Amino acid sequence: MAKQLGFFLDVNRCLGCGACIKACANHNRLPPSLTWRKLRQVEDVDYDRGQISRFFLSTACNHCANPECLRVCPYGAYAKRRDGIVLHFPDKCGSCKSCVASCPFGAPQINPQTGKAGKCQLCHERLDKGNAPYCVQACVTGALQLREIQGNPTDRILRLTAPLPTLRLTKPSTFYYPPRGTKIL
């Protein structure tokens, strides 16, 4: 059985500083209007306790176990490595936007300078040399990590998309440690 790498984010440690986004954009020489990693603030209201918790989610390509982008690309511009990394080859991209339309996470995006799709490649060239992806390396609190997923992650970790049937099909490889005090169903 091949291994599957995945992102883990501890939302209790993420400051929302955006260092992960800047590191990714710099390494990939992305135009200012394009980022492969996104940061959003989430507000969770617990009406029973009368509490509001705010936290940040840093998201990128989930390098799904069953990537929809790979399945729908008519040009063969996607491949999945044995370690679970989903790669995109811009030189094979026909700019049809099928991957952009099919990804439930909005990971593939069209580069306005090239007209081709692009996405997080998990810094595979760094991983091959034993180094962490730039986004993980840039995280000053250690909130963002890359790990090998073995079986089912512990029940203390939430798969953000677990209840949605269409997303269960793609099996995203991104997991989140929930905010402290959150009940896991």
PDB file of all heavy atoms in Angstrom, residues 15-48:
ATOM      1  N   LEU A  15      -1.720  31.711  14.012  1.00  0.00           N
ATOM      2  CA  LEU A  15      -1.905  33.130  14.334  1.00  0.00           C
ATOM      3  C   LEU A  15      -2.581  33.910  13.217  1.00  0.00           C
ATOM      4  O   LEU A  15      -2.945  35.067  13.401  1.00  0.00           O
ATOM      5  CB  LEU A  15      -0.539  33.778  14.622  1.00  0.00           C
ATOM      6  CG  LEU A  15       0.298  33.154  15.736  1.00  0.00           C
ATOM      7  CD1 LEU A  15       1.678  33.785  15.767  1.00  0.00           C
ATOM      8  CD2 LEU A  15      -0.412  33.289  17.057  1.00  0.00           C
ATOM      9  N   GLY A  16      -2.688  33.300  12.046  1.00  0.00           N
ATOM     10  CA  GLY A  16      -3.237  34.017  10.900  1.00  0.00           C
ATOM     11  C   GLY A  16      -2.255  35.010  10.311  1.00  0.00           C
ATOM     12  O   GLY A  16      -2.655  35.970   9.652  1.00  0.00           O
ATOM     13  N   CYS A  17      -0.970  34.780  10.506  1.00  0.00           N
ATOM     14  CA  CYS A  17       0.054  35.741  10.060  1.00  0.00           C
ATOM     15  C   CYS A  17       0.279  35.716   8.548  1.00  0.00           C
ATOM     16  O   CYS A  17       0.784  36.685   7.980  1.00  0.00           O
ATOM     17  CB  CYS A  17       1.374  35.488  10.788  1.00  0.00           C
ATOM     18  SG  CYS A  17       2.196  33.942  10.343  1.00  0.00           S
ATOM     19  N   GLY A  18      -0.054  34.603   7.894  1.00  0.00           N
ATOM     20  CA  GLY A  18       0.106  34.504   6.447  1.00  0.00           C
ATOM     21  C   GLY A  18       1.513  34.175   5.973  1.00  0.00           C
ATOM     22  O   GLY A  18       1.787  34.217   4.773  1.00  0.00           O
ATOM     23  N   ALA A  19       2.423  33.818   6.885  1.00  0.00           N
ATOM     24  CA  ALA A  19       3.790  33.462   6.475  1.00  0.00           C
ATOM     25  C   ALA A  19       3.781  32.268   5.521  1.00  0.00           C
ATOM     26  O   ALA A  19       4.577  32.217   4.581  1.00  0.00           O
ATOM     27  CB  ALA A  19       4.650  33.163   7.697  1.00  0.00           C
ATOM     28  N   CYS A  20       2.873  31.336   5.724  1.00  0.00           N
ATOM     29  CA  CYS A  20       2.769  30.160   4.856  1.00  0.00           C
ATOM     30  C   CYS A  20       2.396  30.566   3.430  1.00  0.00           C
ATOM     31  O   CYS A  20       2.945  30.037   2.452  1.00  0.00           O
ATOM     32  CB  CYS A  20       1.760  29.156   5.420  1.00  0.00           C
ATOM     33  SG  CYS A  20       0.120  29.849   5.765  1.00  0.00           S
ATOM     34  N   ILE A  21       1.493  31.516   3.311  1.00  0.00           N
ATOM     35  CA  ILE A  21       1.041  31.992   2.001  1.00  0.00           C
ATOM     36  C   ILE A  21       2.186  32.711   1.280  1.00  0.00           C
ATOM     37  O   ILE A  21       2.433  32.471   0.090  1.00  0.00           O
ATOM     38  CB  ILE A  21      -0.162  32.941   2.155  1.00  0.00           C
ATOM     39  CG1 ILE A  21      -1.351  32.167   2.721  1.00  0.00           C
ATOM     40  CG2 ILE A  21      -0.522  33.604   0.840  1.00  0.00           C
ATOM     41  CD1 ILE A  21      -2.481  33.039   3.167  1.00  0.00           C
ATOM     42  N   LYS A  22       2.880  33.575   2.000  1.00  0.00           N
ATOM     43  CA  LYS A  22       3.984  34.333   1.400  1.00  0.00           C
ATOM     44  C   LYS A  22       5.119  33.409   0.964  1.00  0.00           C
ATOM     45  O   LYS A  22       5.698  33.582  -0.113  1.00  0.00           O
ATOM     46  CB  LYS A  22       4.482  35.389   2.383  1.00  0.00           C
ATOM     47  CG  LYS A  22       3.473  36.498   2.615  1.00  0.00           C
ATOM     48  CD  LYS A  22       3.951  37.455   3.694  1.00  0.00           C
ATOM     49  CE  LYS A  22       2.875  38.457   4.020  1.00  0.00           C
ATOM     50  NZ  LYS A  22       2.225  38.222   5.286  1.00  0.00           N
ATOM     51  N   ALA A  23       5.438  32.411   1.786  1.00  0.00           N
ATOM     52  CA  ALA A  23       6.519  31.481   1.448  1.00  0.00           C
ATOM     53  C   ALA A  23       6.175  30.696   0.186  1.00  0.00           C
ATOM     54  O   ALA A  23       7.020  30.513  -0.696  1.00  0.00           O
ATOM     55  CB  ALA A  23       6.778  30.533   2.615  1.00  0.00           C
ATOM     56  N   CYS A  24       4.939  30.253   0.078  1.00  0.00           N
ATOM     57  CA  CYS A  24       4.489  29.514  -1.097  1.00  0.00           C
ATOM     58  C   CYS A  24       4.538  30.400  -2.343  1.00  0.00           C
ATOM     59  O   CYS A  24       5.066  30.001  -3.385  1.00  0.00           O
ATOM     60  CB  CYS A  24       3.073  28.994  -0.871  1.00  0.00           C
ATOM     61  SG  CYS A  24       2.328  28.226  -2.322  1.00  0.00           S
ATOM     62  N   ALA A  25       3.996  31.588  -2.237  1.00  0.00           N
ATOM     63  CA  ALA A  25       3.950  32.503  -3.375  1.00  0.00           C
ATOM     64  C   ALA A  25       5.353  32.883  -3.848  1.00  0.00           C
ATOM     65  O   ALA A  25       5.624  32.935  -5.048  1.00  0.00           O
ATOM     66  CB  ALA A  25       3.154  33.753  -3.019  1.00  0.00           C
ATOM     67  N   ASN A  26       6.254  33.124  -2.897  1.00  0.00           N
ATOM     68  CA  ASN A  26       7.628  33.487  -3.260  1.00  0.00           C
ATOM     69  C   ASN A  26       8.334  32.331  -3.958  1.00  0.00           C
ATOM     70  O   ASN A  26       8.967  32.521  -4.985  1.00  0.00           O
ATOM     71  CB  ASN A  26       8.429  33.927  -2.030  1.00  0.00           C
ATOM     72  CG  ASN A  26       8.017  35.283  -1.524  1.00  0.00           C
ATOM     73  OD1 ASN A  26       7.434  36.084  -2.246  1.00  0.00           O
ATOM     74  ND2 ASN A  26       8.290  35.549  -0.256  1.00  0.00           N
ATOM     75  N   HIS A  27       8.236  31.152  -3.384  1.00  0.00           N
ATOM     76  CA  HIS A  27       8.908  29.988  -3.966  1.00  0.00           C
ATOM     77  C   HIS A  27       8.391  29.687  -5.374  1.00  0.00           C
ATOM     78  O   HIS A  27       9.172  29.366  -6.267  1.00  0.00           O
ATOM     79  CB  HIS A  27       8.717  28.757  -3.080  1.00  0.00           C
ATOM     80  CG  HIS A  27       9.089  27.480  -3.761  1.00  0.00           C
ATOM     81  ND1 HIS A  27      10.393  27.176  -4.097  1.00  0.00           N
ATOM     82  CD2 HIS A  27       8.338  26.456  -4.204  1.00  0.00           C
ATOM     83  CE1 HIS A  27      10.421  26.001  -4.701  1.00  0.00           C
ATOM     84  NE2 HIS A  27       9.192  25.548  -4.783  1.00  0.00           N
ATOM     85  N   ASN A  28       7.101  29.800  -5.565  1.00  0.00           N
ATOM     86  CA  ASN A  28       6.497  29.463  -6.851  1.00  0.00           C
ATOM     87  C   ASN A  28       6.426  30.644  -7.818  1.00  0.00           C
ATOM     88  O   ASN A  28       5.890  30.494  -8.910  1.00  0.00           O
ATOM     89  CB  ASN A  28       5.105  28.861  -6.627  1.00  0.00           C
ATOM     90  CG  ASN A  28       5.202  27.509  -5.966  1.00  0.00           C
ATOM     91  OD1 ASN A  28       5.693  26.560  -6.548  1.00  0.00           O
ATOM     92  ND2 ASN A  28       4.751  27.426  -4.718  1.00  0.00           N
ATOM     93  N   ARG A  29       6.941  31.796  -7.382  1.00  0.00           N
ATOM     94  CA  ARG A  29       6.961  33.005  -8.217  1.00  0.00           C
ATOM     95  C   ARG A  29       5.579  33.310  -8.801  1.00  0.00           C
ATOM     96  O   ARG A  29       5.421  33.522 -10.002  1.00  0.00           O
ATOM     97  CB  ARG A  29       8.004  32.870  -9.320  1.00  0.00           C
ATOM     98  CG  ARG A  29       9.403  32.747  -8.809  1.00  0.00           C
ATOM     99  CD  ARG A  29      10.424  32.708  -9.944  1.00  0.00           C
ATOM    100  NE  ARG A  29      11.769  32.679  -9.407  1.00  0.00           N
ATOM    101  CZ  ARG A  29      12.495  31.560  -9.330  1.00  0.00           C
ATOM    102  NH1 ARG A  29      12.015  30.426  -9.745  1.00  0.00           N
ATOM    103  NH2 ARG A  29      13.717  31.610  -8.842  1.00  0.00           N
ATOM    104  N   LEU A  30       4.595  33.294  -7.899  1.00  0.00           N
ATOM    105  CA  LEU A  30       3.217  33.530  -8.329  1.00  0.00           C
ATOM    106  C   LEU A  30       2.967  35.018  -8.518  1.00  0.00           C
ATOM    107  O   LEU A  30       3.497  35.841  -7.765  1.00  0.00           O
ATOM    108  CB  LEU A  30       2.243  32.971  -7.287  1.00  0.00           C
ATOM    109  CG  LEU A  30       2.322  31.467  -7.035  1.00  0.00           C
ATOM    110  CD1 LEU A  30       1.357  31.070  -5.931  1.00  0.00           C
ATOM    111  CD2 LEU A  30       2.037  30.679  -8.299  1.00  0.00           C
ATOM    112  N   PRO A  31       2.122  35.368  -9.494  1.00  0.00           N
ATOM    113  CA  PRO A  31       1.751  36.779  -9.634  1.00  0.00           C
ATOM    114  C   PRO A  31       0.959  37.221  -8.400  1.00  0.00           C
ATOM    115  O   PRO A  31       0.347  36.388  -7.721  1.00  0.00           O
ATOM    116  CB  PRO A  31       0.895  36.803 -10.898  1.00  0.00           C
ATOM    117  CG  PRO A  31       0.479  35.409 -11.148  1.00  0.00           C
ATOM    118  CD  PRO A  31       1.488  34.515 -10.501  1.00  0.00           C
ATOM    119  N   PRO A  32       0.948  38.503  -8.097  1.00  0.00           N
ATOM    120  CA  PRO A  32       0.273  38.995  -6.878  1.00  0.00           C
ATOM    121  C   PRO A  32      -1.196  38.586  -6.753  1.00  0.00           C
ATOM    122  O   PRO A  32      -1.697  38.440  -5.648  1.00  0.00           O
ATOM    123  CB  PRO A  32       0.407  40.519  -6.977  1.00  0.00           C
ATOM    124  CG  PRO A  32       1.559  40.741  -7.888  1.00  0.00           C
ATOM    125  CD  PRO A  32       1.588  39.583  -8.835  1.00  0.00           C
ATOM    126  N   SER A  33      -1.871  38.383  -7.867  1.00  0.00           N
ATOM    127  CA  SER A  33      -3.300  38.051  -7.817  1.00  0.00           C
ATOM    128  C   SER A  33      -3.564  36.560  -7.582  1.00  0.00           C
ATOM    129  O   SER A  33      -4.712  36.146  -7.500  1.00  0.00           O
ATOM    130  CB  SER A  33      -3.959  38.467  -9.133  1.00  0.00           C
ATOM    131  OG  SER A  33      -3.375  37.751 -10.218  1.00  0.00           O
ATOM    132  N   LEU A  34      -2.514  35.747  -7.433  1.00  0.00           N
ATOM    133  CA  LEU A  34      -2.683  34.297  -7.336  1.00  0.00           C
ATOM    134  C   LEU A  34      -1.985  33.754  -6.104  1.00  0.00           C
ATOM    135  O   LEU A  34      -0.830  34.085  -5.832  1.00  0.00           O
ATOM    136  CB  LEU A  34      -2.091  33.638  -8.593  1.00  0.00           C
ATOM    137  CG  LEU A  34      -2.207  32.127  -8.729  1.00  0.00           C
ATOM    138  CD1 LEU A  34      -3.667  31.711  -8.839  1.00  0.00           C
ATOM    139  CD2 LEU A  34      -1.441  31.661  -9.962  1.00  0.00           C
ATOM    140  N   THR A  35      -2.691  32.945  -5.331  1.00  0.00           N
ATOM    141  CA  THR A  35      -2.082  32.229  -4.207  1.00  0.00           C
ATOM    142  C   THR A  35      -2.593  30.799  -4.215  1.00  0.00           C
ATOM    143  O   THR A  35      -3.773  30.553  -4.479  1.00  0.00           O
ATOM    144  CB  THR A  35      -2.423  32.862  -2.835  1.00  0.00           C
ATOM    145  OG1 THR A  35      -3.838  32.875  -2.664  1.00  0.00           O
ATOM    146  CG2 THR A  35      -1.880  34.266  -2.714  1.00  0.00           C
ATOM    147  N   TRP A  36      -1.712  29.860  -3.948  1.00  0.00           N
ATOM    148  CA  TRP A  36      -2.120  28.455  -3.886  1.00  0.00           C
ATOM    149  C   TRP A  36      -2.472  28.042  -2.472  1.00  0.00           C
ATOM    150  O   TRP A  36      -2.998  26.974  -2.252  1.00  0.00           O
ATOM    151  CB  TRP A  36      -1.012  27.560  -4.432  1.00  0.00           C
ATOM    152  CG  TRP A  36      -0.862  27.703  -5.913  1.00  0.00           C
ATOM    153  CD1 TRP A  36      -1.766  28.256  -6.788  1.00  0.00           C
ATOM    154  CD2 TRP A  36       0.246  27.321  -6.702  1.00  0.00           C
ATOM    155  NE1 TRP A  36      -1.280  28.221  -8.056  1.00  0.00           N
ATOM    156  CE2 TRP A  36      -0.033  27.645  -8.039  1.00  0.00           C
ATOM    157  CE3 TRP A  36       1.462  26.724  -6.413  1.00  0.00           C
ATOM    158  CZ2 TRP A  36       0.838  27.392  -9.074  1.00  0.00           C
ATOM    159  CZ3 TRP A  36       2.337  26.472  -7.443  1.00  0.00           C
ATOM    160  CH2 TRP A  36       2.022  26.800  -8.756  1.00  0.00           C
ATOM    161  N   ARG A  37      -2.183  28.882  -1.508  1.00  0.00           N
ATOM    162  CA  ARG A  37      -2.572  28.641  -0.123  1.00  0.00           C
ATOM    163  C   ARG A  37      -3.441  29.812   0.285  1.00  0.00           C
ATOM    164  O   ARG A  37      -3.149  30.952  -0.055  1.00  0.00           O
ATOM    165  CB  ARG A  37      -1.326  28.540   0.765  1.00  0.00           C
ATOM    166  CG  ARG A  37      -1.658  28.311   2.224  1.00  0.00           C
ATOM    167  CD  ARG A  37      -0.505  27.743   3.002  1.00  0.00           C
ATOM    168  NE  ARG A  37      -0.292  26.327   2.772  1.00  0.00           N
ATOM    169  CZ  ARG A  37      -1.066  25.360   3.273  1.00  0.00           C
ATOM    170  NH1 ARG A  37      -2.090  25.656   4.031  1.00  0.00           N
ATOM    171  NH2 ARG A  37      -0.813  24.108   3.015  1.00  0.00           N
ATOM    172  N   LYS A  38      -4.526  29.517   0.960  1.00  0.00           N
ATOM    173  CA  LYS A  38      -5.484  30.552   1.393  1.00  0.00           C
ATOM    174  C   LYS A  38      -5.559  30.563   2.912  1.00  0.00           C
ATOM    175  O   LYS A  38      -5.324  29.555   3.571  1.00  0.00           O
ATOM    176  CB  LYS A  38      -6.886  30.242   0.850  1.00  0.00           C
ATOM    177  CG  LYS A  38      -6.961  30.023  -0.642  1.00  0.00           C
ATOM    178  CD  LYS A  38      -6.948  31.304  -1.391  1.00  0.00           C
ATOM    179  CE  LYS A  38      -7.204  31.029  -2.855  1.00  0.00           C
ATOM    180  NZ  LYS A  38      -6.397  31.831  -3.720  1.00  0.00           N
ATOM    181  N   LEU A  39      -5.931  31.697   3.450  1.00  0.00           N
ATOM    182  CA  LEU A  39      -6.116  31.845   4.882  1.00  0.00           C
ATOM    183  C   LEU A  39      -7.468  32.490   5.113  1.00  0.00           C
ATOM    184  O   LEU A  39      -7.783  33.511   4.499  1.00  0.00           O
ATOM    185  CB  LEU A  39      -5.000  32.735   5.463  1.00  0.00           C
ATOM    186  CG  LEU A  39      -4.977  32.887   6.969  1.00  0.00           C
ATOM    187  CD1 LEU A  39      -4.591  31.570   7.636  1.00  0.00           C
ATOM    188  CD2 LEU A  39      -3.983  33.970   7.357  1.00  0.00           C
ATOM    189  N   ARG A  40      -8.255  31.873   5.962  1.00  0.00           N
ATOM    190  CA  ARG A  40      -9.538  32.500   6.282  1.00  0.00           C
ATOM    191  C   ARG A  40      -9.800  32.410   7.774  1.00  0.00           C
ATOM    192  O   ARG A  40      -9.364  31.477   8.446  1.00  0.00           O
ATOM    193  CB  ARG A  40     -10.679  31.887   5.486  1.00  0.00           C
ATOM    194  CG  ARG A  40     -10.980  30.473   5.797  1.00  0.00           C
ATOM    195  CD  ARG A  40     -12.072  29.928   4.875  1.00  0.00           C
ATOM    196  NE  ARG A  40     -12.327  28.558   5.222  1.00  0.00           N
ATOM    197  CZ  ARG A  40     -13.500  28.066   5.528  1.00  0.00           C
ATOM    198  NH1 ARG A  40     -14.564  28.831   5.509  1.00  0.00           N
ATOM    199  NH2 ARG A  40     -13.652  26.797   5.849  1.00  0.00           N
ATOM    200  N   GLN A  41     -10.498  33.409   8.271  1.00  0.00           N
ATOM    201  CA  GLN A  41     -10.874  33.434   9.675  1.00  0.00           C
ATOM    202  C   GLN A  41     -12.256  32.807   9.810  1.00  0.00           C
ATOM    203  O   GLN A  41     -13.166  33.109   9.037  1.00  0.00           O
ATOM    204  CB  GLN A  41     -10.895  34.859  10.219  1.00  0.00           C
ATOM    205  CG  GLN A  41     -11.149  34.913  11.707  1.00  0.00           C
ATOM    206  CD  GLN A  41     -11.029  36.313  12.274  1.00  0.00           C
ATOM    207  OE1 GLN A  41     -10.757  37.272  11.572  1.00  0.00           O
ATOM    208  NE2 GLN A  41     -11.234  36.433  13.563  1.00  0.00           N
ATOM    209  N   VAL A  42     -12.391  31.943  10.795  1.00  0.00           N
ATOM    210  CA  VAL A  42     -13.642  31.239  11.032  1.00  0.00           C
ATOM    211  C   VAL A  42     -14.166  31.658  12.401  1.00  0.00           C
ATOM    212  O   VAL A  42     -13.403  31.779  13.359  1.00  0.00           O
ATOM    213  CB  VAL A  42     -13.442  29.706  10.996  1.00  0.00           C
ATOM    214  CG1 VAL A  42     -14.728  28.977  11.314  1.00  0.00           C
ATOM    215  CG2 VAL A  42     -12.882  29.279   9.646  1.00  0.00           C
ATOM    216  N   GLU A  43     -15.453  31.883  12.465  1.00  0.00           N
ATOM    217  CA  GLU A  43     -16.100  32.211  13.736  1.00  0.00           C
ATOM    218  C   GLU A  43     -17.061  31.082  14.059  1.00  0.00           C
ATOM    219  O   GLU A  43     -17.943  30.762  13.261  1.00  0.00           O
ATOM    220  CB  GLU A  43     -16.837  33.543  13.626  1.00  0.00           C
ATOM    221  CG  GLU A  43     -17.333  34.067  14.943  1.00  0.00           C
ATOM    222  CD  GLU A  43     -17.854  35.477  14.808  1.00  0.00           C
ATOM    223  OE1 GLU A  43     -17.039  36.419  14.783  1.00  0.00           O
ATOM    224  OE2 GLU A  43     -19.089  35.617  14.722  1.00  0.00           O
ATOM    225  N   ASP A  44     -16.862  30.455  15.198  1.00  0.00           N
ATOM    226  CA  ASP A  44     -17.692  29.335  15.632  1.00  0.00           C
ATOM    227  C   ASP A  44     -18.482  29.780  16.859  1.00  0.00           C
ATOM    228  O   ASP A  44     -17.902  30.186  17.864  1.00  0.00           O
ATOM    229  CB  ASP A  44     -16.806  28.130  15.956  1.00  0.00           C
ATOM    230  CG  ASP A  44     -17.607  26.887  16.262  1.00  0.00           C
ATOM    231  OD1 ASP A  44     -18.689  26.705  15.679  1.00  0.00           O
ATOM    232  OD2 ASP A  44     -17.143  26.091  17.100  1.00  0.00           O
ATOM    233  N   VAL A  45     -19.790  29.713  16.757  1.00  0.00           N
ATOM    234  CA  VAL A  45     -20.654  30.149  17.851  1.00  0.00           C
ATOM    235  C   VAL A  45     -21.239  28.934  18.553  1.00  0.00           C
ATOM    236  O   VAL A  45     -21.834  28.061  17.920  1.00  0.00           O
ATOM    237  CB  VAL A  45     -21.801  31.050  17.333  1.00  0.00           C
ATOM    238  CG1 VAL A  45     -22.693  31.489  18.482  1.00  0.00           C
ATOM    239  CG2 VAL A  45     -21.250  32.246  16.584  1.00  0.00           C
ATOM    240  N   ASP A  46     -21.042  28.859  19.869  1.00  0.00           N
ATOM    241  CA  ASP A  46     -21.639  27.811  20.694  1.00  0.00           C
ATOM    242  C   ASP A  46     -22.763  28.470  21.488  1.00  0.00           C
ATOM    243  O   ASP A  46     -22.527  29.125  22.500  1.00  0.00           O
ATOM    244  CB  ASP A  46     -20.593  27.204  21.625  1.00  0.00           C
ATOM    245  CG  ASP A  46     -21.145  26.045  22.451  1.00  0.00           C
ATOM    246  OD1 ASP A  46     -22.378  25.965  22.642  1.00  0.00           O
ATOM    247  OD2 ASP A  46     -20.332  25.219  22.908  1.00  0.00           O
ATOM    248  N   TYR A  47     -23.979  28.333  20.991  1.00  0.00           N
ATOM    249  CA  TYR A  47     -25.128  28.988  21.609  1.00  0.00           C
ATOM    250  C   TYR A  47     -25.440  28.425  22.985  1.00  0.00           C
ATOM    251  O   TYR A  47     -25.924  29.132  23.863  1.00  0.00           O
ATOM    252  CB  TYR A  47     -26.355  28.888  20.694  1.00  0.00           C
ATOM    253  CG  TYR A  47     -26.182  29.679  19.427  1.00  0.00           C
ATOM    254  CD1 TYR A  47     -25.875  29.048  18.228  1.00  0.00           C
ATOM    255  CD2 TYR A  47     -26.305  31.058  19.427  1.00  0.00           C
ATOM    256  CE1 TYR A  47     -25.703  29.775  17.054  1.00  0.00           C
ATOM    257  CE2 TYR A  47     -26.136  31.803  18.260  1.00  0.00           C
ATOM    258  CZ  TYR A  47     -25.835  31.148  17.087  1.00  0.00           C
ATOM    259  OH  TYR A  47     -25.655  31.872  15.935  1.00  0.00           O
ATOM    260  N   ASP A  48     -25.174  27.128  23.186  1.00  0.00           N
ATOM    261  CA  ASP A  48     -25.438  26.505  24.488  1.00  0.00           C
ATOM    262  C   ASP A  48     -24.573  27.118  25.583  1.00  0.00           C
ATOM    263  O   ASP A  48     -25.031  27.325  26.699  1.00  0.00           O
ATOM    264  CB  ASP A  48     -25.193  24.992  24.428  1.00  0.00           C
ATOM    265  CG  ASP A  48     -26.167  24.290  23.489  1.00  0.00           C
ATOM    266  OD1 ASP A  48     -27.286  24.816  23.289  1.00  0.00           O
ATOM    267  OD2 ASP A  48     -25.807  23.228  22.947  1.00  0.00           O
TER     268      ASP A  48
END
